[in-house]
Amino acid sequence: MTDTTNSPGADGGDALVTAFNAVGADYIFCSSGSEWAPVWESLARRHRDGLPCPEYLDLTHETVAVGMATGYGLVKRRPQGVLLHAAPGLLQGSMALHGALLGGVPMVVSSSESTTYGDGPGQDPGGQWYRNLSIVGGPHGVAQPFTKWSNEAASVHTLPTMITRAAELAWRAPAGPAYLNIPLEILLEDWDGREAKPIAAPGSTHSSPEEVDPVAQLIREAANPVIVTETAGREAGGFEALVAFAEAWNIPVVEPDSAVCGNFPRTHPLHAGGDIGPWMDEADLILLVNCRAPFYPPSRRPSRAKVVVIDEVPQRPHVVYQVLFADRYLEGNVANTLRQLTKRAKDLDAPVVSARRTAQEKRRTAEQAAIARAEAKAGKSEGIDPVLVAATLRKLLDGKAGIVVDETITHSRVVKRHLQTAAPDSYFYVQGGLGQGIAVALGVKLAAQERPVVLTIGDGAFAYNPVIPSYDASKVYELPLLIVVFNNRVYKSMNLNHRRFYPDGAAAETGEWLGTDLHRLPRLAAFAEPFGMHTEAVDTPDALVPALERALKAVAEGTTAVVDVLVTR
């Protein structure tokens, strides 16, 4: 810390704003609570006096605040600030925080409590803390299971440096949300102006040549290696490094269903689809690049392949049960490790590589033919097949540098397979529980305002979202999205599980499928009408292309568009 003289009346609110400014937060995403008046006053003073501070976003739901910070962090990869209200607001935002933890998104999240309940000196915190808001153990105890680090700021004088520490912890691998409980009395306390210094970006870690060389030799000796990746593209430079590595060694790349971002161009000749199954018996070397859980069930061991795990933190501390079957680990920054391996792609056995290339060409040709057949079949359907929706979006987004945020369940494979995203940061799958998609897409748009952002979402997931607060944020902060609802009027995944577990049960006999019917919902695009947004309800195949074209035009002109597509399955 450095000792400085602050302006008269400076308090914990100033300390917080100064600290977030020092750590380089572009935004403070806030779902309002009565504890944040000191922060609002500090921001008002800074705006009046022309002093620097993060931009403040006034949001009306906790999931929207955390979800937007998540979407922004997926693209920018730097910690932002999130302010929630007490323990109840933290609990309301907890699902989205868990999603940020799973997604590896850095952020510093704060909420408050009271430590005096009106019985101490100074300003009265308000009776709501005594009667209603406080929780045994404090909100930092509540936050512990779904954050990377959770603690309490016990003094206004250490508050700035506690925020610095939280930001540094959140940014380092494995990145994730850090939580800081800041009691209201601390925010109201006089602050002497000792500010936190700006933080530096994390340094990179490297696997040593002594570790990389043997792995390069394993690859050189392998006849049928395969790369499997879930989140390589989430790392800065990881997408490009993986492409260079695969091309240098001529190794196919599988993105399994568990992949949660774009890691490798789906249009690339070396892309080997989304099914690791055929490789379990065929591969002699499996390279797991940022893979949390590649095998399912976890006990399903590859029959003969050696397994090399390339990951900065392969054993994820927030994953309850994780089985990798590793024979070797390369632990260090993934992009750096891949670059080291790329440099070692020498003295390759030409006939072996040629055979591998020929086999991949056959797989690729078969996959492209299967995609074409599926799209041709969908084009002849009387209703709107989900494949047709995804394929149409691909064609309409071609050349527009679009970003797809996906919150579908039963249609997620269709979206990945037929949208065929091919650029870094062009696809993100929403992590954690359903109901965050609109907010995450808004955060992505905030970070990439020059690019069109499309949210693909099921009708069940849409119903879980805080729709009104999300639309409010979209309109107030001028963040236009294209929202495409795959509406099959059913919680399909739940229905499929019921049928799978009880194929000959009473429900199958009587047709009484509970917990899954969504026919009672109105058409979902209509919820956007009070916000002046563009809405379309599409029920026939011939109406799909014109509706999506009109919607994309509206988005380009600055208005969120919601297209509710009635799909056949």
Side-chain angles (χ1 to χ4, degrees):
M1 289 188 295
T2 57
D3 292 333
T4 62
T5 302
N6 216 327
S7 59
D11 57 18
D14 295 288
L16 182 146
V17 173
T18 299
F20 273 122
N21 202 55
V23 302
D26 302 316
Y27 291 93
I28 293 177
F29 300 84
C30 182
S31 177
S32 297
S34 55
E35 65 263 52
W36 299 122
V39 173
W40 298 332
E41 181 63 18
S42 175
L43 289 168
R45 281 198 298 265
R46 287 172 176 269
H47 294 158
R48 180 196 65 192
D49 299 339
L51 298 175
C53 58
E55 186 171 343
Y56 175 86
L57 298 186
D58 199 0
L59 306 165
T60 55
H61 196 282
E62 292 84 354
T63 298
V64 177
V66 179
M68 286 186 66
T70 297
Y72 190 84
L74 284 169
V75 177
K76 294 297 187 180
R77 299 179 175 89
R78 291 184 284 104
Q80 305 300 310
V82 179
L83 305 183
L84 306 178
H85 177 42
L90 174 63
L91 288 168
Q92 182 72 51
S94 62
M95 178 187 67
L97 279 170
H98 181 241
L101 181 67
L102 295 178
V105 178
M107 63 181 70
V108 178
V109 182
S110 291
S111 70
S112 197
E113 65 177 338
S114 175
T115 55
T116 67
Y117 307 104
D119 278 343
Q123 298 194 57
D124 179 9
Q128 72 272 21
W129 297 96
Y130 178 55
R131 292 188 293 264
N132 191 44
L133 293 178
S134 294
I135 191 166
V136 174
H140 49 294
V142 172
Q144 192 169 17
F146 49 82
T147 56
K148 180 182 176 182
W149 178 84
S150 178
N151 213 330
E152 177 185 10
S155 166
V156 70
H157 305 299
T158 59
L159 174 58
T161 304
M162 287 290 278
I163 291 174
T164 297
R165 173 162 168 72
E168 290 185 326
L169 282 167
W171 206 353
R172 277 155 177 80
Y179 173 80
L180 193 60
N181 166 24
I182 310 173
L184 177 53
E185 288 83 354
I186 299 298
L187 289 168
L188 290 168
E189 189 175 341
D190 290 342
W191 174 50
D192 61 10
R194 291 181 292 176
E195 300 180 358
K197 290 183 178 180
I199 63 174
S204 61
T205 57
H206 298 255
S207 293
S208 69
E210 291 78 12
E211 295 167 321
V212 175
D213 287 339
V215 171
Q217 188 59 29
L218 284 175
I219 301 172
R220 195 171 288 110
E221 294 170 354
N224 198 20
V226 64
I227 298 164
V228 183
T229 182
E230 292 176 335
T231 63
R234 193 174 63 196
E235 312 299 332
F239 189 101
E240 297 87 346
L242 182 59
V243 171
F245 169 59
E247 289 178 345
W249 291 91
N250 222 288
I251 304 175
V253 178
V254 173
E255 289 185 283
D257 292 334
S258 51
V260 297
C261 63
N263 303 291
F264 195 82
R266 287 189 170 259
T267 55
H268 197 286
L270 286 172
H271 198 284
D275 186 8
I276 192 177
W279 299 92
M280 297 297 285
D281 294 323
E282 296 175 8
D284 55 0
L285 180 65
I286 296 177
L287 299 151
L288 300 179
V289 181
N290 265 31
C291 262
R292 307 162 300 168
F295 310 120
Y296 191 82
S299 58
R300 187 188 183 195
R301 179 189 292 270
S303 61
R304 64 189 185 94
K306 289 185 178 296
V307 177
V308 176
V309 173
I310 301 172
D311 198 320
E312 190 163 8
V313 187
Q315 297 296 335
R316 306 292 169 87
H318 60 268
V319 176
V320 176
Y321 185 60
Q322 189 180 17
V323 181
L324 298 175
F325 296 121
D327 294 293
R328 285 185 178 271
Y329 287 104
L330 287 181
E331 298 184 39
N333 178 273
V334 166
N336 285 335
T337 302
L338 293 176
R339 292 183 193 113
Q340 288 192 60
L341 287 168
T342 300
K343 292 176 182 177
R344 288 163 170 78
K346 302 171 183 176
D347 303 321
L348 306 185
D349 188 321
V352 169
V353 171
S354 177
R356 192 154 71 220
R357 185 184 298 114
T358 299
Q360 172 57 19
E361 287 172 353
K362 290 181 180 178
R363 280 189 294 266
R364 182 71 181 168
T365 299
E367 171 66 2
Q368 292 301 104
I371 289 173
R373 286 194 301 272
E375 293 183 1
K377 181 180 177 182
K380 297 175 182 177
S381 174
E382 291 186 6
I384 305 174
D385 191 290
V387 169
L388 180 64
V389 182
T392 302
L393 279 171
R394 182 189 72 237
K395 295 169 185 175
L396 293 178
L397 289 173
D398 185 40
K400 292 183 169 63
I403 303 174
V404 176
V405 177
D406 187 21
E407 197 178 30
T408 63
I409 297 296
T410 53
H411 299 124
S412 62
R413 294 180 185 178
V414 168
V415 169
K416 289 178 184 177
R417 191 184 193 203
H418 293 276
L419 270 172
Q420 296 281 294
T421 53
D425 293 338
S426 59
Y427 173 84
F428 299 104
Y429 189 79
V430 178
Q431 291 284 275
L434 294 174
Q436 310 167 61
I438 306 177
V440 172
L442 287 170
V444 169
K445 181 64 177 180
L446 184 66
Q449 297 191 35
E450 72 287 355
R451 299 173 66 181
V453 176
V454 179
L455 171 67
T456 52
I457 188 170
D459 51 327
F462 183 93
Y464 286 135
N465 273 257
V467 174
I468 292 173
S470 298
Y471 286 168
D472 171 66
S474 173
K475 185 166 186 176
V476 169
Y477 295 109
E478 299 181 346
L479 300 171
L481 305 174
L482 170 57
I483 301 173
V484 180
V485 183
F486 286 65
N487 191 344
N488 56 13
R489 294 180 171 177
V490 65
Y491 284 121
K492 191 70 172 180
S493 63
M494 303 177 195
N495 183 255
L496 290 173
N497 270 345
H498 192 160
R499 293 174 183 272
R500 179 163 62 93
F501 296 147
Y502 302 97
D504 302 313
E509 180 182 343
T510 63
E512 184 182 10
W513 301 105
L514 299 176
T516 63
D517 183 25
L518 293 177
H519 281 82
R520 63 184 183 271
L521 293 180
R523 293 306 294 266
L524 300 176
F527 290 97
E529 291 175 358
F531 292 88
M533 295 173 174
H534 182 91
T535 62
E536 302 264 2
V538 182
D539 295 347
T540 59
D542 59 348
L544 181 63
V545 171
L548 288 174
E549 287 178 337
R550 289 190 294 268
L552 281 168
K553 182 175 184 292
V555 171
E557 293 171 352
T559 301
T560 284
V562 185
V563 183
D564 179 3
V565 184
L566 189 65
V567 293
T568 56
R569 56 188 171 93

